[in-house]
Amino acid sequence: MHILSFVSAFSLASLALASPVEVAERQAQKLRIMPLGDSITEITCWRAFVWDQLAAAGLADQVQYVGSQNSNPQGCQPQTANWDQHHEGHSGWLAIDIANNYLANWLRSTPADIVMFMLGTNDVVRGHTTDEIINAYTKMVEIMRAANPNTKIIVDLVIPLPFSNGPIQAINSRIPQWAAGLNSTESPIVVADCYQGFTSSMLRDGVHPNLEGDRLIASRVGPLLLDYVKQSLGQ
Ligand SMILES: *[C@@H]1O[C@H](CO)[C@@H](O)[C@H](O)[C@H]1NC(C)=O
């Protein structure tokens, strides 16, 4: 009893006197979420709207987005003014190249507890096969797990690409079984269905979501992310 009250008084005192280094350490202990993808992650607002969901759930202080990029190219204005703009979205990039040449280094620079990704659109545009793209997904999962065996993963079904939608549907039809096959307790994979209900009127230029499309993506990704965050924080 005495020891317990001493300990809690002590922790309160050390909180009050937190040095900049201690503050930085607490910062570093925030749960790290990497939004990974191409332009549909970089120059869009869904990650801002997902942040609003984290904030509404009272979780924003305990999480951070991570990645080599820190930008808001669309000038998104979510409800949370100070949303975290870090991400690993790279316009025009292929899943295949990210898997083969980049992801391992990115995760070394900015380790992640949770990775959420949508990739494949540019691979389709360049004529890569469904097999090549799914193999790149597998390689990415291997890289995530080599970096952190407990990585929690959200893989998105890819939004429609009206001028070449057959290959997008082909990837999407493979993803659920692919994800189930690689699923594990230590490193779960869940699928965010960003395809069902996504109409061409939700694209601003035939490729990228407009605000309505961003809201649809956020509505499919956000609840899965919140589940992961709560599990990770023991809530
Ligand atoms: C992976 O396992 C978890 C826990 O059993 C489950 O909730 C999730 O739906 C599984 N993912 C897939 C893609 O089957």
Side-chain angles (χ1 to χ4, degrees), residues 176 179-180 183-184 188-191:
N183 206 6
S184 76
I189 308 180
V190 291
V191 179

Side-chain angles (χ1 to χ4, degrees), residues 25 46 57 163 189 219:
E25 278 169 3
W46 64 263
F163 68 83
I189 308 180
S219 78

Side-chain angles (χ1 to χ4, degrees), residues 155 175-181 183-185 188-191 228:
V155 54
I175 287 177
Q177 215 184 341
W178 166 84
N183 206 6
S184 76
T185 310
I189 308 180
V190 291
V191 179
Y228 271 170

Side-chain angles (χ1 to χ4, degrees), residues 12-24:
L12 280 177
S14 58
L15 267 181
L17 298 171
S19 71
V21 170
E22 286 167 326
V23 171

Side-chain angles (χ1 to χ4, degrees), residues 32 103-108 110-112 115 140-151:
R32 301 159 300 186
L103 184 58
N105 283 331
W106 289 338
L107 286 170
R108 250 191 295 280
T110 60
V115 178
M140 289 194 290
V141 167
E142 288 166 359
I143 290 168
M144 291 170 203
R145 289 174 172 171
N148 171 6
N150 297 117
T151 311

Side-chain angles (χ1 to χ4, degrees), residues 54-206:
L54 290 163
L59 298 168
D61 289 346
Q62 296 168 81
V63 301
Q64 58 189 319
Y65 282 161
V66 298
S68 62
Q69 310 297 299
N70 187 10
S71 66
N72 180 18
Q74 283 300 106
C76 308
Q77 297 190 323
Q79 288 174 336
T80 324
N82 62 342
W83 66 286
D84 193 334
Q85 299 178 1
H86 286 89
H87 64 93
E88 206 62 87
H90 297 265
S91 295
W93 289 37
L94 281 63
I96 291 171
D97 292 331
I98 288 175
N100 287 339
N101 301 318
Y102 295 96
L103 184 58
N105 283 331
W106 289 338
L107 286 170
R108 250 191 295 280
S109 305
T110 60
D113 302 296
I114 300 172
V115 178
M116 45 188 192
F117 75 91
M118 183 187 300
L119 276 166
T121 305
N122 294 298
D123 306 68
V124 163
V125 172
R126 306 281 182 81
H128 287 284
T129 65
T130 308
D131 278 344
E132 288 176 297
I133 296 165
I134 295 293
N135 288 343
Y137 281 18
T138 302
K139 182 154 190 184
M140 289 194 290
V141 167
E142 288 166 359
I143 290 168
M144 291 170 203
R145 289 174 172 171
N148 171 6
N150 297 117
T151 311
K152 291 178 162 57
I153 300 163
I154 300 173
V155 54
D156 295 348
L157 297 193
V158 183
I159 62 171
L161 183 64
F163 68 83
S164 188
N165 206 40
I168 296 290
Q169 286 176 310
I171 304 171
N172 286 345
S173 69
R174 289 274 296 278
I175 287 177
Q177 215 184 341
W178 166 84
L182 286 177
N183 206 6
S184 76
T185 310
E186 315 80 65
S187 173
I189 308 180
V190 291
V191 179
D193 186 350
C194 298
Y195 185 85
Q196 179 72 37
F198 196 114
T199 65
S200 52
S201 71
M202 297 177 186
L203 296 170
R204 65 173 189 259
D205 55 6

